[in-house]
Amino acid sequence: MTFFKVRELSKKYGFNYAIKDISFELEQGEFFTLIGPSGAGKTTLLRLIDLLEPPTTGEIEYNGWSLNSLTKKQKVTARREMGFVFQNPICFNVTVKANVEYGLTLRGLSQDEIDEKVNRAINMVGLHGFEERKASTLSGGEIQRVALARTLATEPNLLLLDEATANLDPSNVALIENAIQKINRERGVTVIMATHNFFQAKRLGDSVGFMLDGEMIEIGTADQIFNNPSDNRTEAFISGEMIY
Amino acid sequence: MMVFFEALVEALYLIFSLDSEVWGIMLLSLRVSGTATFLAACCGIPLGMFLGLRVYVGKRIINNLVNTFMGLPPVVIGLFVFLAISRSGPMGFLGLLYTPTAMIIAQWILATPIVTGITMAAVRSVHGKYRDTAISLGASEWQLWVTILKEARISILAGICVAFGQAISEVGAIMIVGGNIRFSTRAMTTAIVLQTRMGLFGMAIALGLILIVLAFLVNLIFTMLQEGGEIVR
Ligand SMILES: Nc1ncnc2c1ncn2[C@@H]1O[C@H](COP(=O)(O)OP(=O)(O)OP(=O)(O)O)[C@@H](O)[C@H]1O
Ligand SMILES: [Mg+2]
């Protein structure tokens, strides 16, 4: 059975489509990377999937479960299956540790379980020793890693990443990429990752989707998209010739 | 100049000799304004959260209304409360006129819009900032409200301090509904008005100084809360 499915999903803001008629399917454990120029609709697509906004039309199906027209309570349950690291993450005005605990506290776990999961997540993103720091004193890259740890601590089955390494230096990019890859391979977490970094999209993605002006132009294996694209707009974009 | 110095000396003497009338007046002021502010917080925080987070239509009108109520002149509040509780008024049978309870009601009406308005603005801005983060991490609706309340707590506390400051320094409302009766409804501000008019500057200055110190303390407590809020998670 297909693990995750999006069918003819569209979102309109005023008269403009932010995304239009997007359809794709993912197997459990698949790593899907999304590329496309700024304004293509990557963030919008991820926001609709995480049920932060309702689609204008179209359907989302998670593990055989339609995510359309859910009750408030069901939406919370569905969101707790997923994790979303935003393009511009925001920390609560508390310590790093309290930030990472947040999602677990919401789920009502025992303090022992919380401590264990928080420790693991903080170590995964290389923030050991930052536990008691106030979030307001963190650098941009540190905030991004706290946000990632906060999401990973909740152990989502579908991980949505929006430019999750954009603010990081190369060694931290490698650390985070490894951490995400490990979760994907060892725990079978399905990942959808929007990125502006072609190398990252290629390195991590089992499959890659190219978006342009709200539409999904082409989906294929990483090899196919980067070495042998079938649409000339894809080719123009990855060769850097597309002017936008 | 001599008059002023004599009055100042007398004022300090009244304060440090713990003059029973001065301290009685101060305690009444604190009791009335403190109770009124407490009740205002009990109503204003939920009301402000509701208006800020739950009302989607007519935001503009609500803003205007709340702002108008925030700026109601105390004398006008005093007038309406007086009309409501005077013997021939709709609530006259309660016999509240010229009692501390009447003063509490008037100041509660003064303070509630202040707490409501500041809470409303604070929760709206916090909601805008944290809504997506909280719910994507799995917050249910009421967990989101708790999170918002926590993140907005410093601003809300500031609102409570402002409301208390307004209440304790207000004259018009309690003058009308309390009647400034000695040993019963005479508060600091109304006492200062009366004593100044009678030329009893010593006691007026003593009460004025106490009022200033109280204002300073409220500010100090607020600043400490603010810093504590930053340090404590
Ligand atoms: N709330 C909104 N109201 C109006 N238009 C919006 C809104 N959100 C997004 N859009 C528009 O939808 C389009 C897609 O935006 P989106 O943020 O999804 O792009 P993106 O692919 O994530 O871009 P980037 O790579 O810069 O992050 C843009 O043209 C944007 O201006
Ligand atoms: Mg984006």
Side-chain angles (χ1 to χ4, degrees):
Chain A
M1 187 183 62
T2 327
F3 176 67
F4 183 77
K5 203 186 280 185
V6 160
R7 206 176 310 118
E8 293 175 3
L9 202 66
S10 297
K11 179 72 183 180
K12 239 174 163 176
Y13 291 114
F15 294 110
N16 299 320
Y17 281 99
I19 63 168
K20 196 174 176 187
D21 282 340
I22 291 194
S23 304
F24 62 89
E25 296 185 358
L26 301 176
E27 295 301 323
Q28 185 150 25
E30 190 168 341
F31 202 128
F32 181 46
T33 53
L34 273 175
I35 55 170
S38 194
K42 305 180 291 295
T43 300
T44 307
L45 176 59
L46 296 177
R47 287 178 60 82
L48 296 191
I49 293 173
D50 201 34
L51 308 180
L52 295 176
E53 284 175 69
T56 307
T57 56
E59 278 170 66
I60 304 170
E61 209 178 289
Y62 174 89
N63 215 354
W65 182 29
S66 166
L67 301 190
N68 289 62
S69 58
L70 298 182
T71 62
K72 273 184 185 167
K73 214 169 167 184
Q74 290 170 322
K75 271 189 189 168
V76 174
T77 310
R79 283 198 205 98
R80 287 183 180 183
E81 287 286 312
M82 313 183 209
F84 189 177
V85 182
F86 299 139
Q87 194 165 9
N88 299 304
I90 288 169
C91 283
F92 296 108
N93 198 5
V94 288
T95 61
V96 167
K97 184 158 180 280
N99 263 286
V100 180
E101 282 177 349
Y102 183 77
L104 303 170
T105 311
L106 296 177
R107 286 161 176 75
L109 301 190
S110 74
Q111 194 58 46
D112 286 348
E113 279 176 289
I114 291 179
D115 287 343
E116 189 203 320
K117 286 175 202 266
V118 166
N119 260 330
R120 208 184 313 148
I122 285 182
N123 285 328
M124 228 185 278
V125 300
L127 281 178
H128 184 65
F130 281 71
E131 287 85 347
E132 297 307 323
R133 275 278 290 279
K134 279 193 288 171
S136 55
T137 66
L138 300 177
S139 76
E142 287 159 358
I143 290 173
Q144 198 154 38
R145 286 186 284 154
V146 171
L148 191 67
R150 189 168 61 181
T151 297
L152 294 182
T154 64
E155 299 176 350
N157 291 316
L158 175 61
L159 181 58
L160 310 169
L161 302 169
D162 200 354
E163 297 291 345
T165 60
N167 292 322
L168 304 181
D169 61 70
S171 72
N172 273 312
V173 171
L175 176 83
I176 298 303
E177 283 187 2
N178 285 335
I180 294 168
Q181 209 158 28
K182 199 167 159 217
I183 289 166
N184 168 249
R185 297 223 174 111
E186 290 178 5
R187 298 222 340 265
V189 173
T190 311
V191 183
I192 307 178
M193 177 187 219
T195 176
H196 283 127
N197 181 333
F198 294 161
F199 298 106
Q200 187 173 56
K202 192 173 170 180
R203 204 160 44 229
L204 296 176
D206 299 318
S207 50
V208 179
F210 170 57
M211 289 180 72
L212 179 65
D213 293 337
E215 291 182 62
M216 189 70 82
I217 303 297
E218 187 173 355
I219 294 179
T221 62
D223 183 56
Q224 188 190 328
I225 293 284
F226 285 101
N227 298 325
N228 192 14
S230 55
D231 194 291
N232 51 17
R233 289 169 292 181
T234 315
E235 192 173 359
F237 180 68
I238 60 175
S239 64
E241 283 161 18
M242 179 173 278
I243 295 172
Y244 49 85
Chain B
M1 208 54 199
M2 257 339 263
V3 178
F4 174 73
F5 269 116
E6 276 169 20
L8 189 63
V9 170
E10 192 195 340
L12 292 174
Y13 175 75
L14 285 171
I15 293 174
F16 290 108
S17 67
L18 305 180
D19 179 86
S20 66
E21 183 165 10
V22 170
W23 287 95
I25 289 173
M26 184 191 85
L27 289 179
L28 177 75
S29 271
L30 283 176
R31 179 159 72 89
V32 167
S33 300
T35 311
T37 308
F38 174 76
L39 296 175
C42 293
C43 307
I45 294 172
L47 184 61
M49 287 196 81
F50 177 79
L51 293 178
L53 300 177
R54 253 309 158 80
V55 179
Y56 309 105
V57 284
K59 268 191 191 174
R60 242 229 193 84
I61 296 173
I62 288 171
N63 285 350
N64 281 336
L65 266 174
V66 172
N67 284 337
T68 308
F69 278 100
M70 280 172 88
L72 275 188
V75 261
V76 177
I77 296 173
L79 170 65
F80 284 117
V81 174
F82 180 90
L83 292 175
I85 65 176
S86 66
R87 194 150 307 148
S88 55
M91 275 141 60
F93 65 94
L94 293 171
L96 292 175
L97 193 59
Y98 305 138
T99 64
T101 308
M103 297 158 74
I104 290 171
I105 293 172
Q107 292 198 342
W108 168 69
I109 294 173
L110 173 87
T112 300
I114 298 173
V115 178
T116 306
I118 292 176
T119 301
M120 185 175 82
V123 297
R124 267 192 201 149
S125 96
V126 169
H127 179 264
K129 188 170 169 199
Y130 291 109
R131 181 250 183 199
D132 287 349
T133 304
I135 70 175
S136 88
L137 286 165
S140 65
E141 183 152 26
W142 87 263
Q143 287 175 327
L144 173 65
W145 280 46
V146 172
T147 301
I148 290 174
L149 196 56
K150 274 190 190 162
E151 289 290 327
R153 70 189 184 284
I154 302 295
S155 310
I156 294 174
L157 279 171
I160 293 173
C161 289
V162 171
F164 179 77
Q166 293 282 325
I168 201 152
S169 60
E170 164 280 322
V171 201
I174 52 172
M175 184 76 106
I176 295 178
V177 301
N180 200 20
I181 300 166
R182 194 173 184 194
F183 302 127
S184 156
T185 58
R186 185 164 298 173
M188 287 194 281
T189 52
T190 52
I192 290 173
V193 172
L194 182 76
Q195 284 146 1
T196 306
R197 221 180 270 145
M198 294 181 3
L200 299 171
F201 298 117
M203 196 179 247
I205 293 175
L207 290 168
L209 288 175
I210 292 174
L211 207 47
I212 290 170
V213 170
L214 282 177
F216 174 77
L217 283 179
V218 170
N219 253 306
L220 190 71
I221 290 170
F222 170 62
T223 314
M224 273 162 46
L225 284 172
Q226 196 169 24
E227 279 163 6
E230 287 282 304
I231 294 159
V232 179
R233 43 184 214 167

